[in-house]
Amino acid sequence: MTGGRPGVLPWLYYAFGGTIPKHAQWVLHDLTCRTWLLRHALHSFIQCSPGFLLLLLPGSFPFLFYLPAIVVIGGVWVAMMFARDARNHRLYKHGFIPDLVLARNKR
């Protein structure tokens, strides 16, 4: 793979929706491998993880438990509903044609 696996900061940038052209072949692997859906779930969880900062708010236990849970679980749920669209968008942003790349992997 050209560019290899990205480091922590480029990966975080990618997880939050950024493009990392230097690691385009890794991105292609990330979005077309057998475990792409699990990887997408991890990216979504990382995007929603700032919701845990809500634990720092003052309040009762149910409030402190349910508010971050709703934010994180809801965010990941919605991201998983649109996982295929997000994958196609990321492929396109990195210079790949989703229909061609995904059709090649079905063979």
Side-chain angles (χ1 to χ4, degrees):
M1 282 185 267
T2 306
R5 184 183 187 102
V8 174
L9 291 178
W11 185 88
L12 281 173
Y13 181 68
Y14 169 71
F16 277 91
T19 58
I20 45 175
K22 181 180 174 184
H23 303 283
Q25 290 302 315
W26 178 86
V27 170
L28 180 63
H29 169 73
D30 183 54
L31 297 172
T32 59
C33 69
R34 194 171 51 112
T35 59
W36 76 269
L37 196 57
L38 292 173
R39 291 168 179 253
H40 180 73
L42 177 63
H43 297 164
S44 303
F45 180 78
I46 295 297
Q47 288 176 349
C48 296
S49 64
F52 288 117
L53 292 175
L54 295 170
L55 291 170
L56 301 176
L57 295 175
S60 62
F61 175 73
F63 176 76
L64 290 177
F65 176 76
Y66 289 115
L67 188 58
I70 288 170
V71 168
V72 173
I73 293 171
V76 173
W77 179 272
V78 170
M80 296 309 289
M81 287 173 43
F82 296 101
R84 293 189 193 285
D85 295 330
R87 175 176 66 169
N88 289 345
H89 181 68
R90 282 185 181 218
L91 283 168
Y92 184 74
K93 279 175 45 175
H94 283 87
F96 300 106
I97 301 172
D99 293 335
L100 295 176
V101 170
L102 298 174
R104 181 191 73 191
N105 287 344
K106 288 183 181 179
R107 285 190 238 158

